[in-house]
Amino acid sequence: MTPTRADAAVTGVFVPAARPGVRAIGVGTEAIVVDEAVDGLHLLNAQATLVWACFDGRSTLAAIATDLADVLDVPFERVLLDVVAVTADLVDQGLVADGRAAPPAEPVAVAPPSMRVDGAGTPRALEEPPNP
Amino acid sequence: MDDTAGETGKDGLSRRSMIRRAAAAGAIAWSAPVIIDSLTSPAAAATACTGPCYRFGIRAAAIGTACPVNTKNLTAPPSDCQPAEPCATPVEPNASGGSYLPFYGITYNTTLSANNCTISGSTCTGGTATTECWVPSGAGATQLNVKRVWDVNIATFTSRIPLTTCASPDLYAAVAGVNDRDNVSCCGVSNYPGSPYSGTATTCQPSGFNNSATLTGGPSSYQVTWIFDANNQANASQSGTYQFTIGCACV
């Protein structure tokens, strides 16, 4: 396969860091990554959410994959390939940059569900819109 | 391997500990990490809901063997719809999911478990008060004889779309049932009473079947709660996959 897009740039030595203005919000075991710059929403599956949570702007993908592989008891090679692939996708989407190139953004934690509701939080009944 | 290995975050929690904790909490088995879906709204930040736009509806797709259910057919934008881009024709659902509301909202499918909890008076018994069972409050408490309440906290939507610019009734949540146990035999029935604006009840649902959706939160994050009322007591095992949509309709 010919490497395209970010595939060629993202390897085990890549140091992922969330771009400024990008944050993740937990939705159960999954997460929605919000890109404020373009009003983008990206839904991550549980595994990608876990990978995202490991992005601290200091660790390489290889180090992250090592920990994931050890803790989850999965072959390192498989985890590394998966982590590199999803990171390349995240880079393509403009959500992640290489922390080696610039000071990383502050790591953005995935907020627990209880912290995800903004504002006053007052429930209100929904009104029916007019019929067409 | 001990927990001190690996990088340590600002909160003192090592990455390995965090992974272990996440795995334990979410029962995560390793499979390929992926971006499930992406939605980008290039025009939403500046112009959403400032002009006439289209009404949206949910046309919930059949998932598995369930019947297609329509709450209201998707409506193409009127010819004078402005701004044009957010008023693009909604995407029709397919077998893998429901409709999206381009630029104005997101749709999320979730699954509710049966018999989560029972509510007696103000006491929630069974289940977990914070995740499975809610003591009626707010809008839900105004309903008589609320017996079953699911706090669908997985359906917490976050939108960067400035929904605060939309005033009721332009801002609302809708709930559509897909793969609902009681709807399985209802192929061909066009309306489903899962949406607060769906209209006609299906003939196959028990008489008086009713539920409603409420929105909590804002301005950028909303929680949708679906409430079954007393008329649904007969459906003690309500379960299935439900589709929640929060959106902004400018009409």
Side-chain angles (χ1 to χ4, degrees), chain B residues 162-190:
Chain B
L163 296 174
T164 51
T165 63
C166 305
S168 178
D170 291 342
L171 171 60
Y172 50 90
V175 181
V178 286
N179 205 19
D180 180 355
R181 184 198 67 165
D182 292 323
N183 203 47
V184 168
S185 61
C186 302
C187 286
V189 177
S190 60

Side-chain angles (χ1 to χ4, degrees), chain B residues 97-144:
Chain B
S99 64
Y100 287 99
L101 304 172
F103 313 112
Y104 276 148
I106 59 175
T107 298
Y108 201 85
N109 295 325
T110 188
T111 301
L112 305 183
S113 300
N115 295 318
N116 298 49
C117 60
T118 57
I119 294 176
S120 175
S122 60
T123 303
C124 177
T125 58
T128 303
T130 56
T131 60
E132 298 174 352
C133 183
W134 259 22
V135 175
S137 62
T142 65
Q143 294 195 17
L144 296 176

Side-chain angles (χ1 to χ4, degrees), chain A residues 23 27 30 34 39-43 45 47 58-59 67 70 78 82 106 116-119 121 126-127 131, chain B residues 7-8 10 15-16 29-32 34 36-39 41 45 72 108 154 160 168 213 216-218 220-221:
Chain A
R23 61 192 176 94
V27 182
E30 300 171 348
V34 180
D39 274 345
L41 299 172
H42 308 270
L43 179 60
N45 71 358
Q47 291 72 27
R58 302 188 305 269
S59 303
D67 286 353
D70 283 351
R78 176 185 168 193
D82 287 343
E106 282 293 309
R116 280 183 230 132
V117 177
D118 298 328
L126 298 166
E127 299 178 40
N131 288 320
Chain B
E7 294 289 335
T8 301
K10 289 189 301 184
R15 185 165 57 232
R16 287 173 184 267
W30 186 257
S31 62
V34 295
I36 297 173
D37 201 2
S38 296
L39 179 67
S41 171
K72 181 179 288 187
Y108 201 85
I154 195 172
R160 297 302 303 167
S168 178
T216 304
S220 61
S221 176

Side-chain angles (χ1 to χ4, degrees), chain A residues 28-39:
Chain A
T29 58
E30 300 171 348
I32 294 173
V33 176
V34 180
D35 184 354
E36 295 179 347
V38 296
D39 274 345

Side-chain angles (χ1 to χ4, degrees), chain B residues 196-243:
Chain B
Y197 66 102
S198 65
T200 307
T202 59
T203 56
C204 55
Q205 296 287 1
S207 175
F209 186 97
N210 187 36
N211 53 53
S212 62
T214 57
L215 279 179
T216 304
S220 61
S221 176
Y222 294 87
Q223 185 162 350
V224 177
T225 302
W226 187 8
I227 298 174
F228 288 90
D229 72 13
N231 291 314
N232 303 320
Q233 288 182 78
N235 306 315
S237 298
Q238 282 285 348
S239 63
T241 302
Y242 300 90
Q243 182 180 74

Side-chain angles (χ1 to χ4, degrees), chain A residues 1 3-17 19 51 55 59-62 64-65 79-100:
Chain A
M1 186 178 83
T4 58
R5 55 191 184 102
D7 288 352
V10 178
T11 66
V13 298
F14 187 88
V15 177
R19 285 187 177 276
V51 171
F55 292 173
S59 303
T60 65
L61 290 181
I64 292 170
V79 174
L80 181 61
L81 283 174
D82 287 343
V83 168
V84 166
V86 73
T87 303
D89 287 342
L90 293 166
V91 170
D92 278 344
Q93 296 285 352
L95 305 173
V96 168
D98 192 343
R100 295 170 299 178

